[in-house]
């Protein structure tokens, strides 16, 4: 029996080892070739592909088409699965890979029919770059075909990759639209509905568009909200007697808000981010960029800094590359551009070409409108078939109006239709690739004016020391009574002064954008907050500008000195001083110091030391942040409760990024008529916030001194398919789980899986002095030497050279 058992055990172990060997060989088979020579059909001359220790790619080619073909080859070998996710996410085709779990995402995007629209507008999107994109497509498909085994995620999903098409590069650009903008225009719809049912004074608080922390390029800070008196708004009367203000000033019954409506998330959800982020205090896509002109540097160089904040994954969304090739229309007939490419596109997205450096932040202008359409409006029906892995396809009928897809139908037969810049002709135009050959600032701005990208704040610096800002990308060219903060053409919609014509379906434009060139103080900065003012702001609109604390901290850092180097701008990028949170810490301390509650005494004992930074070892920062988040959520819930009660199922939760500018005056002035009805006093509200915080922290461990910011802000940066694997295997597809300094309302934006997807500091013509960081690494293959390469420098803030390091691998591609 023992011998029999040993034989069975030996057989099982042998089969297990054989299985592991097969898996290992399959994984190894999908690794790209890094050295030697290969034939690549379509090349006009040999192309050299060099990689340094971090996997940064240098392409030396005879012309732009050869460069694009070779870059496509490498992108496919290193990142084809991630490229596939980009095109599928924009087109609403994820369910074909992942099954029914992805259907909600696909339904959301299929409403816009982006693949069909891309095919209709392909000539406009490709423009003069058609031949380049064709070469890129052919290189992608050649790179995919050259892998002995299909990329490893397809093995796991039991799927086959499908070839890359011309329109897929355009869809890659549209995926960035969907990431950086809200394709559902939720905020504008939410505020429009709220405006209909709450008193004007309450709506003015909810829609307040700034604070004392604003740092615009044009105009002044808005300042905090001016609180209404009891005659204009009394939350306690509103809640108790049920007064609802209509547009004509009439009143109607309103049930008092329930306690559950006052607290949108559980304390644990607020503090740890479980079940969704705190409504008033968490992350959303953004970025920092800033620049100093030559007047502020020792040798007259302009310096550009850029941090693009996105959801983080392994591998990173960007792919570092230096592209060198002959180009007769470029200065001196040659291109040498270095920076960050986006797999799926044959171009450097941000970087430097030795004459010009450029960088982006998301602009958050208003890029979408809902329109009210009367019953009987002519519509076209489009049938969208969504393939679903493991089950039958799903059919989705999209009703299309002249405004765009219909999103809902009212009881009287009237409709709501959505127009979004990402749907329209010209949203993506690949002429932006010509930034690689821009000779100076003026030439770079000319390229920007004919480029179709999501609306962005562009900063440019050139070799002469000049700097400039321009709002670039596809912007609504509104006609008629548009952009008034409501639903266009609704019977009771507010109207713009002097505008009688109804709002008309609009196209997008990219030229005649607001600019600030050669500023007198030689400094520029943006951080997703409001940049414009006056008429220019009215035209651009407010798509949900971020709270201004981050921009203000950057601006003040730029004005704190008169001379700068690349290292000085990196120091601003890595600034994790908790300037906003200090006053919340003081308010929390005032709440704790005189309390006899044992729970609050425990909080008081461990929150005495204020380091002034969002550092990984700080307990006080974590507590001040949690205290602020709970307080903001409680007050936001109270302000929104009347609208939520009236609207019922029609209520949509709005994003209120400027709520700090309303809450701080409330806490300073403490007006009785604006105190949430469920509290007896403002002190009671603050005590309740502290008690909720203590309960949540204590549930994570009895010793509150161990509840550091680093414990909560720990990196969770993983490959997209890791969530489908058991925990035992998941760790092989994740970067190290290390505590991260920084937070969202300071320059060093870092969360568990959100933050700077790249950092760059560079001066055109001085690229050898430039600095970069990139999380997650270059390769999407966990067995690659470039999996996670450079990630630790990003996490620790150690400078990595902007230019490639010593060549470790060389692959030569030759014409066939």
């Amino acid at each position: 029996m023992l011998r029999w058992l040993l034989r069975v055990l030996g057989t099982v172990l042998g089969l297990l080892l054989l299985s592991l060997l097969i898996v290992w060989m399959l994984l190894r088979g999908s690794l790209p070739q890094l050295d030697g020579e290969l034939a690549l059909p379509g090349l006009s001359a040999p192309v050299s592909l060099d990689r340094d220790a971090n996997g940064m790619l240098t392409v030396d080619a005879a012309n732009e088409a050869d460069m694009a073909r070779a870059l496509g080859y490498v992108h496919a070998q290193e990142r084809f699965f991630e490229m596939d996710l980009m095109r599928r996410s924009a087109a609403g085709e994820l369910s074909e890979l992942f099954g029914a779990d992805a259907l909600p995402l696909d339904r959301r995007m299929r409403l816009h029919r982006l693949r069909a629209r891309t095919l209709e507008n392909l000539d406009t999107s490709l423009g003069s770059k058609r031949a380049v994109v064709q070469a890129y497509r052919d290189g992608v498909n050649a790179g995919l075909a050259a892998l002995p085994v299909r990329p490893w995620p397809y093995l796991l999903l039991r799927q086959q990759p499908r070839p890359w098409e011309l329109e897929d590069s355009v869809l890659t650009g549209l995926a960035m639209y969907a990431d950086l903008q809200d394709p559902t225009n939720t905020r504008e719809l939410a505020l429009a509905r709220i405006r209909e049912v709450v008193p004007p004074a309450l709506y003015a608080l909810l829609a307040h568009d700034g604070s004392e922390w604003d740092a615009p390029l044009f105009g002044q800070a808005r300042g905090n909200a001016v609180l209404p008196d009891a005659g204009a708004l009394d939350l306690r009367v509103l809640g108790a007697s049920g007064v609802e203000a209509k547009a004509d000033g009439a009143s109607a019954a309103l049930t008092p808000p329930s306690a559950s409506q006052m607290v949108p998330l559980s304390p644990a959800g607020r503090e740890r981010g479980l079940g969704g982020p705190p409504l008033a205090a968490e992350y959303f896509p953004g970025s920092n960029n800033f620049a100093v002109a030559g007047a502020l540097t020792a040798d007259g160089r302009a310096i550009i800094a850029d941090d693009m904040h996105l959801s983080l994954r392994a591998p990173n969304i960007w792919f570092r590359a230096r592209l060198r090739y002959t180009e007769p229309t470029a200065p001196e007939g040659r291109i040498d551009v270095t920076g960050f490419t986006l797999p799926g596109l044959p171009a450097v997205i941000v970087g430097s070409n030795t004459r010009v450096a450029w960088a982006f932040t998301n602009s958050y202008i208003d890029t979408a409108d809902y329109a009210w359409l009367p019953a009987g409006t002519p519509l076209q029906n489009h049938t969208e078939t969504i393939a679903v892995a493991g089950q039958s396809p799903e059919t989705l009928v999209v009703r299309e109006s002249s405004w765009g897809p219909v999103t809902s139908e009212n009881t009287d037969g009237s409709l709501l239709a959505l127009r979004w810049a990402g749907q329209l002709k010209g949203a993506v135009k690949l002429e932006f690739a010509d930034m690689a050959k821009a000779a100076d600032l003026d030439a770079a701005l000319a390229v920007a004016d004919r480029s179709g990208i999501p609306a962005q704040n562009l900063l440019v610096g050139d070799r002469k020391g000049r700097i400039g800002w321009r709002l670039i990308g596809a912007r609504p060219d509104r006609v008629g009574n548009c952009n008034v903060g409501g639903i266009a053409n609704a019977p009771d919609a507010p109207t713009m002064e002097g505008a009688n014509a109804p709002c008309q379906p609009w196209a997008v434009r990219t030229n005649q954008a607001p600019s600030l060139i050669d500023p007198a103080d030689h400094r520029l900065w943006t951080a997703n907050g409001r940049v414009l003012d006056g008429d220019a702001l009215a035209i651009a609109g407010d798509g949900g500008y971020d709270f201004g604390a981050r921009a203000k901290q950057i601006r003040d850092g730029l004005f704190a000195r008169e001379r700068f180097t690349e290292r000085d701008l990196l120091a601003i990028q890595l600034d994790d001083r908790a300037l906003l949170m200090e006053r919340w810490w003081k308010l929390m301390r005032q709440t704790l110091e005189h309390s006899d509650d044992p729970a609050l005494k425990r909080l008081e004992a461990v929150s005495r030391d204020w380091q002034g930074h969002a550092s990984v070892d700080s307990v006080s920062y974590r507590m001040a942040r949690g205290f602020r988040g709970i307080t903001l959520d409680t007050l936001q819930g109270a302000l929104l409760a009347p609208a939520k009660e009236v609207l019922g199922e029609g209520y949509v939760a709005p994003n209120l990024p400027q709520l700090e500018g309303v809450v701080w005056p409330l806490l300073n002035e403490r007006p009785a008529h604006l105190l949430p009805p469920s509290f007896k006093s403002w002190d009671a509200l603050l005590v309740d916030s502290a008690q909720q915080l203590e309960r949540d922290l204590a549930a994570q461990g009895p010793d509150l001194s161990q509840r550091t910011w680093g414990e909560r802000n720990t990196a969770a940066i993983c490959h997209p398919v890791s969530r489908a694997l058991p925990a035992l295997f998941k760790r092989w597809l994740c970067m190290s789980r290390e505590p991260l300094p920084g937070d969202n309302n300071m320059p060093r934006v870092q969360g568990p899986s959100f933050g700077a997807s790249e950092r760059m500091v560079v001066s055109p013509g001085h690229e050898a002095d430039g600095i970069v960081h990139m999380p997650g690494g270059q390769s999407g293959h966990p067995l690659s030497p470039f999996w996670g390469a450079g990630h630790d420098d990003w996490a620790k803030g150690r400078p990595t050279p902007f230019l490639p390091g010593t060549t470790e691998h060389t692959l030569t591609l030759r014409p066939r």
Side-chain angles (χ1 to χ4, degrees):
M1 179 63 71
L2 180 59
R3 286 195 299 270
W4 182 82
L5 289 174
L6 289 173
R7 283 196 295 269
V8 170
L9 180 60
T11 301
V12 171
L13 289 175
L15 291 173
L16 179 60
L17 290 173
L18 180 61
S19 299
L20 291 174
L21 179 61
I22 292 172
V23 170
W24 179 263
M25 292 176 66
L26 288 172
L27 287 174
R28 295 285 301 175
S30 60
L31 279 169
Q33 181 175 335
L34 304 180
D35 297 286
E37 293 189 1
L38 288 171
L40 180 58
L43 289 177
S44 66
V47 176
S48 175
L49 303 176
D50 296 334
R51 288 174 169 92
D52 68 6
N54 284 330
M56 184 177 178
L57 176 71
T58 299
V59 179
D60 280 296
N63 52 57
E64 186 178 19
D66 282 359
M67 176 279 296
R69 193 178 301 271
L71 182 64
Y73 186 93
V74 175
H75 278 170
Q77 294 226 316
E78 297 282 11
R79 299 282 198 87
F80 186 84
F81 178 74
E82 291 74 31
M83 294 166 61
D84 194 9
L85 294 186
M86 291 285 282
R87 64 176 173 178
R88 287 177 180 275
S89 65
E93 296 168 352
L94 291 168
S95 299
E96 188 175 8
L97 278 183
F98 298 105
D101 287 347
L103 275 171
L105 296 173
D106 283 351
R107 294 182 191 118
R108 176 175 177 259
M109 292 308 299
R110 281 296 179 98
L111 181 73
H112 303 289
R113 302 178 52 250
L114 292 186
R115 184 173 288 279
R117 295 179 190 276
T118 295
L119 289 169
E120 291 171 6
N121 301 320
L122 193 58
D123 287 343
T124 299
S125 295
L126 298 183
S128 65
K129 296 297 179 183
R130 176 179 283 271
V132 174
V133 179
Q134 286 174 335
Y136 180 81
R137 173 203 61 193
D138 294 344
V140 168
N141 289 329
L144 178 63
L147 293 173
V149 178
R150 63 186 184 270
W152 66 270
Y154 295 101
L155 298 173
L156 185 67
L157 296 170
R158 291 176 293 177
Q159 298 282 353
Q160 291 288 339
R162 70 181 189 212
W164 195 257
E165 304 292 348
L166 282 183
E167 63 269 22
D168 292 331
S169 287
V170 179
L171 286 168
T172 299
L174 290 172
M176 295 306 297
Y177 267 88
D179 198 19
L180 298 171
Q181 300 174 3
D182 178 9
T184 61
N185 198 26
T186 302
R187 180 177 183 272
E188 194 164 57
L189 177 63
L191 289 175
R193 289 180 175 175
I194 290 168
R195 186 175 192 163
E196 295 175 355
V197 300
V198 302
L202 176 53
Y203 181 80
L205 288 180
L206 294 170
H208 185 68
D209 65 346
S211 73
E212 62 189 299
W213 295 85
D214 293 345
L217 293 179
F218 296 87
Q220 302 299 314
R222 282 283 189 269
N224 295 334
V226 176
L227 302 180
D229 60 26
L233 177 66
D234 190 333
L235 286 182
R236 303 179 81 79
V237 172
L238 184 67
S241 63
V243 176
E244 175 201 351
K246 294 291 187 182
D248 59 0
S251 299
L254 173 64
T255 304
S258 66
S260 64
Q261 291 169 325
M262 305 288 287
V263 185
L265 291 170
S266 69
R270 276 188 292 265
E271 212 284 323
R272 293 196 299 275
L274 300 175
L279 297 180
E282 273 294 345
Y283 304 98
F284 65 110
S287 301
N288 306 326
N289 63 11
F290 44 101
V292 293
L296 301 182
T297 61
D299 55 2
R301 69 176 71 181
I303 310 176
I304 297 284
D306 189 47
D307 309 59
M308 294 193 286
H309 304 146
L310 295 168
S311 296
L312 302 180
R313 69 183 191 197
N316 185 39
I317 187 173
W318 310 112
F319 188 89
R320 291 182 60 201
R322 183 179 191 179
L323 310 176
R324 301 189 292 201
Y325 53 93
T326 301
E327 173 51 58
T329 62
E332 301 177 12
R334 184 156 181 82
I335 298 291
D336 183 358
V337 59
T338 305
F340 295 87
T341 68
L342 178 63
L345 291 169
V348 168
I349 306 302
V350 297
S352 178
N353 69 6
T354 76
R355 295 171 178 82
V356 168
W358 66 96
F360 293 128
T361 69
N362 200 25
S363 69
Y364 282 98
I365 67 168
D366 184 3
T367 57
D369 285 320
Y370 272 102
W372 179 88
L373 305 175
T377 297
L379 301 174
Q380 286 186 321
N381 288 344
H382 299 276
T383 300
E384 292 283 311
T385 301
I386 304 176
V388 185
Q391 66 181 60
S392 300
E394 179 177 292
T395 299
L396 181 69
V397 177
V398 178
R399 296 188 294 169
E400 191 88 28
S401 71
S402 61
W403 267 93
V406 171
T407 63
S408 60
E409 182 173 346
N410 300 315
T411 54
D412 62 358
S414 61
L415 308 169
L416 275 185
L418 176 60
R419 195 168 192 82
W420 172 45
Q423 301 165 344
L424 303 181
K425 184 177 182 179
V428 174
K429 290 190 291 185
L430 299 183
E431 307 290 343
F432 186 78
D434 283 341
M435 286 292 282
K437 61 183 181 182
D440 55 24
L441 185 145
D442 292 330
L445 295 180
V447 172
D449 279 349
R450 62 178 189 267
S451 301
I453 63 173
Q456 298 285 294
N457 294 302
L458 170 70
L459 288 194
V460 177
D462 70 14
R463 188 185 286 189
K464 300 173 185 176
R466 298 180 66 201
I467 59 173
W469 165 84
R470 179 164 288 177
L471 177 63
I472 75 163
R475 313 181 326 273
D477 190 12
R478 293 183 171 92
V479 179
N481 187 30
C482 291
N483 202 22
V484 292
I487 297 173
N489 301 335
D492 57 351
T495 58
M496 294 179 68
E497 185 176 352
N500 297 317
C503 185
Q504 300 297 321
W506 38 262
V508 295
R509 68 183 309 170
T510 61
N511 63 347
Q512 298 182 357
S515 300
L516 179 55
I517 310 301
D518 299 323
D521 53 24
H522 312 298
R523 300 164 174 87
L524 289 169
W525 63 92
T526 77
N528 313 118
R530 178 178 62 85
V531 174
L532 298 166
D533 204 4
D535 291 342
L537 175 62
I539 293 171
D542 181 356
Y545 295 118
D546 194 15
F547 179 52
R550 182 159 46 94
K552 181 177 185 297
Q553 200 159 328
I554 292 169
R555 180 200 66 187
D556 293 350
L558 291 173
F559 280 95
R561 57 190 306 144
E562 295 298 322
R563 279 287 181 267
F564 293 90
T565 67
E566 284 84 349
R567 294 293 181 110
D568 296 323
L569 294 196
L570 176 64
I572 295 175
Q573 291 176 308
L574 299 178
D575 181 8
D576 61 9
R577 290 175 299 148
L579 303 186
L580 169 69
M581 213 59 68
E582 182 171 4
R583 67 185 190 180
W584 284 93
W585 173 74
K586 291 178 179 178
L587 180 63
M588 182 183 69
R589 293 292 302 167
Q590 294 170 8
T591 303
L592 300 176
E593 285 173 347
H594 305 294
S595 175
D596 294 327
D597 185 334
L600 300 195
K601 284 186 175 183
R602 289 192 291 272
L603 276 185
E604 190 279 330
V606 297
S607 64
R608 295 170 185 170
D609 182 22
W610 178 249
Q611 296 98 332
H613 291 258
S615 52
V616 297
D617 60 346
S618 177
V619 175
S620 57
Y621 178 80
R622 181 176 181 180
M623 293 183 176
R625 186 188 192 279
F627 180 76
R628 174 181 181 264
I630 293 171
T631 303
L632 260 65
D633 281 350
T634 298
L635 289 171
Q636 175 172 288
L639 294 171
L640 290 172
K644 187 172 184 179
E645 188 73 15
V646 173
L647 292 170
E649 293 183 359
Y651 172 80
V652 179
N655 175 33
L656 302 177
Q658 308 298 336
L659 191 63
E660 176 92 15
V662 177
V663 165
W664 199 250
L666 286 173
L667 296 176
N668 276 336
E669 300 175 31
R670 304 194 177 192
H673 61 285
L674 299 180
L675 176 68
S678 57
F679 296 99
K680 294 182 179 180
S681 69
W682 286 97
D683 284 340
L685 184 150
L686 295 174
V687 166
D688 181 72
S689 293
Q691 289 172 334
Q692 290 189 54
L693 175 65
E694 193 279 337
R695 287 196 296 271
D696 180 49
L697 293 171
Q700 300 170 54
D703 185 357
L704 297 187
S705 68
Q706 300 301 308
R707 306 284 78 79
T708 63
W709 176 237
E711 180 190 51
R712 192 249 194 234
N713 203 45
T714 298
I717 301 170
C718 300
H719 193 278
V721 303
S722 65
R723 68 192 67 180
L725 296 177
L728 177 64
F729 300 102
K730 182 180 293 189
R731 66 186 184 93
W732 297 105
L733 296 178
C734 297
M735 298 296 102
S736 58
R737 291 185 54 82
E738 57 188 303
L740 299 173
D743 200 3
N744 55 334
N745 283 314
M746 57 191 63
R748 191 171 190 173
V749 173
Q750 288 188 157
S753 57
F754 184 91
S757 61
E758 56 81 40
R759 293 191 193 102
M760 175 184 77
V761 187
V762 66
S763 172
H766 301 271
E767 286 80 5
D769 299 318
I771 300 165
V772 295
H773 289 141
M774 193 177 82
Q778 286 271 86
S779 178
H781 201 300
L783 299 183
S784 168
F786 312 131
W787 171 262
H791 175 84
D792 195 56
D793 288 341
W794 170 86
K796 300 294 195 303
R798 290 191 300 262
T800 300
F802 179 80
L803 291 178
T806 303
T807 298
E808 300 281 339
H809 302 275
T810 298
L811 178 66
T812 301
L813 301 177
R814 298 194 178 278
R816 178 181 294 175

